[in-house]
Amino acid sequence: MIVVMKPDATKEQIQAMIKKIEDKGLKTILLEGTNRNVIAAIGDKREIPPEFWDRQPTVERTVPILAPYKMASRELRPETTTVPIDGQVLGGRKVGIIAGPCTVESREQVLEIAHAVKEAGALALRGGAFKPRTSPYSFQGLMEEGLEILALAGEETGLPIVSEVLTAEHVPLVSKYVDVLQVGTRNMTNFLLLKAVGESDKPVLLKRGMSAQLEEFLLAAEYVLSQGNPNVILCERGIRTFETNTRFTLSLTVVPQLKELSHLPVLVDPSHATGKRSLVPPMAKAAIAAGADGVILEVHPKPEEAWVDGPQTLSLKEFEKLMADLRRLAPAVDREI
Ligand code: PEP
Ligand code: MN
């Protein structure tokens, strides 16, 4: 429910209204506007009978939020949200490029990549320290040592760090080293993890589950938002279909759809979506053309020697070239890098 306050409602009257709504067991968010202040009341609306609103002289009108994902919806927040990432911003006019290795292999590897992607204009460095691998026999990540290497690269280059957190128990540990907590496709419905990152003060990069429908994706974001963390970045990374030619099927139509339905910034991951190096640059360009706020890419000095996901990883040269192409493309869709 959106509660539109009268234009002359004072700060005290707004606070009193918030208290009344919260006393009914609902959560509130105050959205301050230039003309009017609006209170979003979130929870079970049966708690508040319709007559209650008729008795409130400071309320102009109430409007129901129809979407099941209340806090993620544009009905609640018509203006697009920008997410602050350690001094940078994702979701404004600028397109944000996040790049780095699939997995942290060594200090030398990460530092070389970090300096190169920084030089090329990346907004943040990605890298996995805890890896969600399909097989228990595959490399599982350097874990805390990997996080230490990422933090060092962040200090050396000034790049914010994005890294995946696999379990709710690991949130404090990963948060100690990184600037953005990534929740991977395999964990999009790990509701306890979503709640745990929702309680964190770090921005969350939430990847779409590989078989999740758009509404389920936005409801996963709602889990994070409803715990009090407003900084959620959505990431389309491809879904499972009958097609086996590519690793997943990149569903680019969700980009403008998510932008229509939600105020949250949207990224695309063409590396995991395609699984093929040659398809990454065209799909990255297509993502920006479709309105994405950025892309997240895997890069490595020697992709053919990468421990994980080499076939979908760009070399540093290929990344540099892609950045130059994206820089030329962005103005065509009223964006810049
Ligand atoms: C990753 O980005 O490292 C990753 C494992 O991606 P996804 O969860 O999309 O498979
Ligand atoms: Mn990978």
Side-chain angles (χ1 to χ4, degrees), residues 151-171:
L152 176 72
E155 264 169 46
E156 270 203 15
T157 58
L159 286 173
I161 303 297
V162 181
S163 197
E164 179 160 356
V165 56
L166 288 183
T167 70
E169 300 78 67
H170 281 163
V171 172

Side-chain angles (χ1 to χ4, degrees), residues 102 126 131 247 272 298 308-309 312:
C102 178
R126 64 146 286 149
K131 295 301 300 174
R247 189 175 178 189
H272 290 92
E298 289 185 338
V308 186
D309 283 351
Q312 68 193 35

Side-chain angles (χ1 to χ4, degrees), residues 17 20 24 48-59:
M17 196 62 230
K20 277 190 192 177
K24 296 273 182 196
I48 302 188
E51 319 79 77
F52 170 84
W53 300 110
D54 301 336
R55 296 194 301 269
Q56 309 305 326
T58 55
V59 171

Side-chain angles (χ1 to χ4, degrees), residues 80-83 90-91 232-235 259 263-267 293:
T80 296
T81 291
T82 56
V83 171
L90 193 82
V232 177
I233 302 156
L234 302 169
C235 180
K259 302 292 282 182
H263 53 86
L264 297 171
V266 178
L267 288 185
D293 296 292

